[in-house]
Amino acid sequence: MSETIYDVPSAWSDKAWANDARYQEMYAASIKDPEKFWGEHGKRIDWFKPYTRVKNTSFEPGKVSIKWYEDGTTNVAHNCVDRHLAKRGDQTAIIWEGDNPAESKVITYRELHAEVCKFANVLKAHGVEKGDRVTIYLPMIPEAAYAMLACARIGAVHSVVFGGFSPDSLASRIEDSDSKIVVTADEGLRGGRTVPLKKNVDSANDKVKGGIGTVIVVRRTGGNVAMQAGRDVWYHDEAAKVSADCPAVEMNAEDPLFLLYTSGSTGKPKGVLHTTAGYLVYTAITHQYVFDYHDGDIYWCTADVGWVTGHSYILYGPLANGATTLMFEGIPTYPSISRFWEVIDKHKVNTFYTAPTAIRSLMGAGEEPVKKTSRASLRLLGSVGEPINPEAWEWYHRVVGDRRCPIVDTWWQTETGGILITPLPGATRLKPGSATRPFFGIRPEILDAEGKVLEGACEGNLVIADSWPGQMRTVYGDHQRFMDTYFATYANKYFTGDGSRRDADGYYWITGRVDDVINVSGHRMGTAEVESALVAHPSVSEAAVVGYPHDIKGQGIYAYVTLMTGESPSEDLRKELVAYVRNEIGPIASPDLIQFAPGLPKTRSGKIMRRILRKIAEDEFGALGDTSTLADPAVVDDLIENRQNKR
Ligand code: PRX
């Protein structure tokens, strides 16, 4: 917790879209009359047929239903591309910076239009129709943007799967979304190393019931890949056959735009469904106000398009606003640890949006790799994905931003579609470590375990009391699960799964997840997923996974494993289990620490007491609380004695 307060620089309050008075006024108006506020802001996008109804939402138990602008029709690709052509056809839409610093290119809005149309025509030529799901498993190359916008253009629903996920994870997402078509690349390229994307799709194919219908392969590295006749086609061959013109299909405001799988506390990842108009309005307005976007700004969000941040703030929000958005294929440390700052200088980036984990890892190398670059173009910094500790915040502010650039610490989730709690750079005094105040239209509340709304300064569970246009609409194919996950904990409120403190100034301080979700380097992971990967190994009898504080990743993955009778713990087995989980889920799920345990602490009814495991992993075994209800209290002593060293 930090007591420091940074005032809004006057240059910012003078020129920003919102100073504090304006924020207060707009916020009050948005809460007092959401219909009116969102009715006006819906006009920031083009409509084929204007809406007459703005908000039709209910969080009522058993009847959750969320609709915005429900009788309007529009098209997201039209709004992100076509409508800019008259005024900014020759303006850069996307700056692409390759993994290799010698490779970069710019794509104007006119070029983007042609590329999106071609991609859309290729999809159509392969039978994709409105409403069909298309899985996209691509690296950070412009074709990822073309493919997503192409889906939007023809009304197909994209499901982007992060390139770091394993064939198994990919297969279950293809199957759950029932995608007949997968778009991939021969290989990805990150930090000078190739990622075998096409090969992973081939392996996934064997795990998908009935196999994948069509695989469209973009050539990225030129690496040698096997193409299966009748199923696999090269994108460049297909693109050469189609026209660069494709009409944007008229979509209802509530037609699905995309699915994005995310981890929860139970079961397999769920397909978060976002729809067309509300999502676009919300990502556009937040991109404008939170990043104080003005024409001509060069904006860079370092996320991968495989995550929601990439969807909302590399692609849809910025392009809806006619911005220039930078897309980076590589990693912060290649070819040197100065890469981020070199890219900022190379492309004269004004706004830079990244994750705390990147800041913390770069901090470790000291100031010199930053200070040797100019960064004179930078005006604003952003943070997303996990709580930013005040020390990292201060370093980001002082070293990267030369004390000149405000930091917007943006709190949101895959489910929320866009940013919900955040400073506005011209309006909000900053406190390092606090996401500060709600965005327009957002009604956060803090509740205690019984569901009582807490007032004033307090700490508890964070809920949102009313809908906003960017909110997810359902879990794909399972509306009941949507209601159970988000609306059953507290009646009539959206439960975020996060804890938060609110201070006397009304500022929110997100304290992290209160459920069995952990946040590793800004990547969200369900402990249950890692557990089921571990128990799938023949030597493992039981596994329990918890998070523990990690200096760079924010949280690390700590796994307690009991072995089958006859198996004995060894370093080799430990390594094998780590490799096994990587293979099952992907590298982001690799356990950092594995403790072999003869038994896990269980209640007499057999429930694993995760609270105890969490405390031991956090080295807080003085605070284990009551262990007398355990079936065998002695297991705890063994767990403490053999706990894994964090350093
Ligand atoms: O715990 C919160 C954390 O990330 C979770 C959402 O993860 P995901 O759906 O993958 O989306 C990440 C990018 C929006 C939240 O429940 N989180 C995200 N941003 C912040 C954060 N925690 C603290 N501060 C943030 N700024």
Side-chain angles (χ1 to χ4, degrees):
M1 220 173 292
S2 167
E3 295 306 318
T4 327
I5 296 183
Y6 291 86
D7 284 326
V8 178
S10 57
W12 272 92
S13 44
D14 293 347
K15 77 149 228 265
W17 289 109
N19 58 18
D20 192 42
R22 182 92 183 113
Y23 164 78
Q24 305 278 2
E25 183 193 317
M26 286 178 74
Y27 182 73
S30 71
I31 299 302
K32 185 164 163 255
D33 193 346
E35 293 269 347
K36 181 156 180 273
F37 183 88
W38 292 114
E40 277 161 16
H41 280 282
K43 295 185 194 136
R44 62 176 51 240
I45 66 170
D46 277 2
W47 295 85
F48 295 166
K49 176 172 154 281
Y51 49 89
T52 61
R53 203 154 178 202
V54 176
K55 181 174 188 285
N56 179 11
T57 67
S58 164
F59 287 0
E60 203 185 318
K63 295 189 189 148
V64 178
S65 162
I66 297 156
K67 291 184 181 148
W68 286 88
Y69 310 112
E70 63 185 300
D71 59 347
T73 66
T74 181
N75 180 285
V76 166
H78 165 85
N79 275 289
C80 289
V81 187
D82 305 39
R83 70 164 169 154
H84 303 311
L85 292 178
K87 201 174 134 206
R88 14 174 146 247
D90 296 320
Q91 183 202 305
T92 302
I94 298 175
I95 301 173
W96 179 74
E97 170 76 12
D99 185 55
N100 175 345
E103 271 192 281
S104 61
K105 66 174 168 189
V106 298
I107 298 130
T108 64
Y109 272 96
R110 201 177 317 287
E111 289 163 340
L112 182 62
H113 178 258
E115 296 290 352
V116 170
C117 285
K118 269 194 274 178
F119 218 116
N121 281 330
V122 169
L123 293 175
K124 284 211 289 201
H126 285 276
V128 178
E129 291 176 4
K130 181 172 171 174
D132 289 351
R133 277 78 53 215
V134 173
T135 294
I136 298 176
Y137 185 63
L138 281 174
M140 286 287 287
I141 54 177
E143 284 78 2
Y146 307 158
M148 291 163 77
L149 289 163
C151 288
R153 193 166 192 87
I154 61 175
V157 182
H158 60 71
S159 165
V160 181
V161 178
F162 174 56
F165 277 121
S166 68
D168 269 309
S169 301
L170 174 62
S172 69
R173 287 157 171 80
I174 293 170
E175 222 168 50
D176 187 85
S177 63
D178 193 16
S179 299
K180 301 279 179 283
I181 198 157
V182 174
V183 181
T184 191
D186 47 4
E187 296 171 314
L189 196 56
R190 290 185 86 238
R193 288 213 286 254
T194 56
V195 185
L197 296 174
K198 172 62 169 63
K199 203 163 146 250
N200 287 351
V201 173
D202 292 341
S203 316
N205 182 72
D206 302 338
K207 299 174 168 128
V208 173
K209 240 181 266 130
I212 303 166
T214 305
V215 181
I216 298 178
V217 188
V218 176
R219 179 172 280 161
R220 166 62 190 107
T221 63
N224 207 357
V225 294
M227 297 290 279
Q228 185 181 306
R231 186 196 66 187
D232 303 345
V233 294
W234 284 107
Y235 177 68
H236 57 265
D237 289 341
E238 300 306 295
K241 299 179 200 159
V242 298
S243 102
D245 198 20
C246 171
V249 170
E250 182 171 359
M251 302 296 288
N252 180 269
E254 283 300 335
D255 279 336
L257 176 63
F258 67 85
L259 293 178
L260 188 56
Y261 285 84
T262 194
S263 299
S265 27
T266 54
K268 37 179 204 140
K270 40 186 180 296
V272 167
L273 183 98
H274 283 287
T275 58
T276 296
Y279 171 82
L280 195 64
V281 168
Y282 197 75
T283 51
I285 186 176
T286 45
H287 173 262
Q288 181 194 331
Y289 281 92
V290 176
F291 301 107
D292 196 51
Y293 174 75
H294 291 265
D295 270 356
D297 284 357
I298 308 289
Y299 163 90
W300 180 17
C301 164
T302 70
D304 190 286
V305 288
W307 307 109
V308 74
T309 310
H311 284 57
S312 300
Y313 297 111
I314 293 178
L315 210 61
Y316 290 120
L319 294 183
N321 289 337
T324 298
T325 182
L326 193 151
M327 193 173 176
F328 177 44
E329 185 183 35
I331 60 171
T333 49
Y334 177 85
S336 89
I337 194 141
S338 296
R339 185 69 192 276
F340 270 176
W341 329 121
E342 286 163 2
V343 173
I344 288 171
D345 285 351
K346 177 173 171 184
H347 298 292
K348 304 281 173 288
V349 171
N350 307 119
T351 303
F352 178 69
Y353 188 32
T354 197
T357 188
I359 303 299
R360 286 191 299 264
S361 68
L362 296 171
M363 262 169 87
E367 298 182 15
E368 195 272 338
V370 189
K371 290 297 180 194
K372 72 180 202 198
T373 61
S374 148
R375 290 157 288 108
S377 57
L378 272 185
R379 284 200 299 268
L380 179 63
L381 301 172
S383 173
V384 60
E386 47 177 323
I388 181 163
N389 48 312
E391 195 194 359
W393 195 104
E394 296 283 359
W395 190 87
Y396 197 22
H397 187 255
R398 177 174 57 80
V399 181
V400 176
D402 287 326
R403 299 182 203 273
R404 182 183 76 239
C405 309
I407 298 178
V408 287
D409 174 1
T410 63
W411 174 84
W412 58 295
Q413 311 176 298
T414 307
E415 293 88 336
T416 70
I419 296 164
L420 298 198
I421 301 184
T422 179
L424 301 187
T428 315
R429 299 166 83 210
L430 304 174
K431 300 186 190 182
S434 172
T436 78
R437 307 190 290 196
F439 190 75
F440 308 135
I442 303 304
R443 288 178 47 197
E445 286 178 355
I446 296 187
L447 269 49
D448 69 10
E450 280 70 52
K452 189 168 134 256
V453 178
L454 303 176
E455 304 292 339
C458 59
E459 183 166 346
N461 290 339
L462 180 64
V463 304
I464 311 293
D466 197 2
S467 184
W468 63 98
Q471 182 171 27
M472 76 183 281
R473 302 303 197 251
T474 194
V475 169
Y476 183 66
D478 198 348
H479 197 65
Q480 190 60 44
R481 188 170 175 200
F482 175 59
M483 295 195 282
D484 292 347
T485 309
Y486 304 104
F487 301 93
T489 317
Y490 300 113
N492 298 305
K493 323 250 164 170
Y494 166 77
F495 179 43
T496 64
D498 277 326
S500 179
R501 190 167 74 76
R502 186 172 52 216
D503 69 17
D505 294 329
Y507 276 35
Y508 290 83
W509 301 71
I510 309 297
T511 50
R513 302 288 304 197
V514 294
D515 54 9
D516 290 322
V517 170
I518 51 183
N519 195 323
V520 184
S521 300
H523 299 320
R524 180 165 157 180
M525 184 57 50
T527 52
E529 279 171 80
V530 186
E531 287 163 5
S532 57
L534 282 166
V535 296
H537 188 280
S539 306
V540 176
S541 141
E542 220 175 5
V545 169
V546 297
Y548 71 93
H550 187 289
D551 284 349
I552 290 175
K553 300 178 176 185
Q555 281 189 300
I557 301 181
Y558 195 117
Y560 297 87
V561 168
T562 58
L563 296 175
M564 294 288 191
T565 325
E567 298 284 348
S568 41
S570 69
E571 266 322 297
D572 281 350
L573 180 56
R574 204 189 295 276
K575 286 199 192 109
E576 193 180 314
L577 292 178
V578 172
Y580 192 80
V581 175
R582 283 175 76 94
N583 194 41
E584 289 274 306
I585 306 176
I588 55 168
S590 305
D592 296 276
L593 297 167
I594 294 183
Q595 174 169 358
F596 293 111
L600 298 175
K602 291 188 185 158
T603 59
R604 286 184 199 116
S605 58
K607 195 169 171 285
I608 296 178
M609 293 192 73
R610 313 175 61 88
R611 174 180 56 83
I612 293 181
L613 295 174
R614 239 178 260 131
K615 293 282 180 205
I616 295 174
E618 288 165 4
D619 279 340
E620 285 188 22
F621 31 86
L624 287 186
D626 185 11
T627 56
S628 63
T629 54
L630 288 177
D632 177 9
V635 297
V636 172
D637 298 332
D638 178 85
L639 289 171
I640 294 177
E641 199 169 312
N642 294 306
R643 72 192 181 277
Q644 295 295 295
N645 196 341
K646 314 288 173 334
R647 311 269 158 226

